Amino acid sequence: MSEKKRFGKEDWITLGFGQLVKEGIGGLTLDALCQTASRTKGSFYHHFKDHEAFLTALAHAWKKQNTLDVAEETLASAPEDQARTLALKAAQLDHDLDRAMRQFAQLNQTARQTVREVDDLRTQFIVQLYLAQGLDEATANSIAKIEYAAFVGAQVIWPEMTAEERLKLDQQFADLVSRGTIQPQK
């Protein structure tokens, strides 16, 4: 008789991500999670004090995975490579999960707050990269907002866009910004 592999907290989070993408918020009910995992409610409650604690952990895990870890990896690269590293990491994100989290945020206060935090963190991170490239604060803020709005919009409008296509568009945007912000020498 074989024993089931222990189902840990991270397994529940990973399952939650998959359920959110495939089934939407309906896939995050306790019954749906336990049925999909072939686990008992006791197994779930061993890791989470209640369902809301799970939803909070899910939102925070998304924030860490799709924002904080990306920023950390970007900052670990050489300063001259950071914009390119960020573009590569952003193109490789699970965009289905990002879209699903935004839909979840429409119905859940914790998710809504986390998405707002992520949007602010991502935008400010981009601002900092532009400031490091020598742009003034007002220009860096404006361009970062436009760039991030385009990023989120592309996730919604072109969900099937490949990482390569995202990188190509990002490079074209960077080229436009560079041309538009370089002051001609007199």
Side-chain angles (χ1 to χ4, degrees):
M1 183 151 73
S2 66
E3 284 187 40
K4 283 186 186 178
K5 177 187 165 282
R6 184 174 174 97
F7 208 73
K9 187 175 187 174
E10 293 305 313
D11 296 311
W12 285 106
I13 296 296
T14 300
L15 174 67
F17 286 161
Q19 288 288 100
L20 186 59
V21 169
K22 290 179 202 159
E23 307 292 332
I25 194 166
L28 296 181
T29 66
L30 185 55
D31 287 336
L33 290 164
C34 290
Q35 181 178 2
T36 303
S38 298
R39 301 290 190 229
T40 65
K41 290 179 182 179
S43 172
F44 177 88
Y45 287 122
H46 177 75
H47 299 288
F48 305 98
K49 77 174 185 165
D50 57 27
H51 190 253
E52 190 58 37
F54 167 75
L55 296 177
T56 299
L58 187 74
H60 289 170
W62 168 74
K63 176 181 174 180
K64 181 180 182 325
Q65 175 184 301
N66 279 26
T67 302
L68 300 177
D69 290 351
V70 170
E72 185 177 317
E73 291 176 44
T74 298
L75 291 173
S77 63
E80 63 274 8
D81 296 331
Q82 288 177 352
R84 180 77 179 140
T85 300
L86 178 60
L88 180 62
K89 296 293 178 189
Q92 295 171 340
L93 286 178
D94 183 342
H95 296 282
D96 292 335
L97 180 57
D98 264 24
R99 277 190 309 280
M101 190 58 68
R102 288 183 184 287
Q103 291 170 343
F104 178 37
Q106 298 299 310
L107 303 169
N108 180 277
Q109 179 60 36
T110 300
R112 185 171 25 263
Q113 180 180 343
T114 304
V115 167
R116 172 55 42 213
E117 290 170 8
V118 162
D119 289 342
D120 291 344
L121 284 168
R122 289 175 176 179
T123 304
Q124 284 308 304
F125 190 78
I126 298 167
V127 167
Q128 294 306 312
L129 291 179
Y130 281 127
L131 290 172
Q133 293 174 16
L135 293 183
D136 65 88
E137 192 166 342
T139 302
N141 271 295
S142 294
I143 293 173
K145 287 176 182 175
I146 294 167
E147 183 174 359
Y148 188 63
F151 172 78
V152 172
Q155 287 181 324
V156 173
I157 297 169
W158 301 293
E160 70 285 344
M161 186 181 288
T162 66
E164 293 78 24
E165 291 169 321
R166 289 178 194 284
L167 281 172
K168 184 177 177 183
L169 281 178
D170 186 75
Q171 185 57 55
Q172 289 173 328
F173 184 83
D175 291 345
L176 288 170
V177 169
S178 179
R179 280 188 265 154
T181 58
I182 295 175
Q183 300 298 320
Q185 295 183 355
K186 294 182 181 181

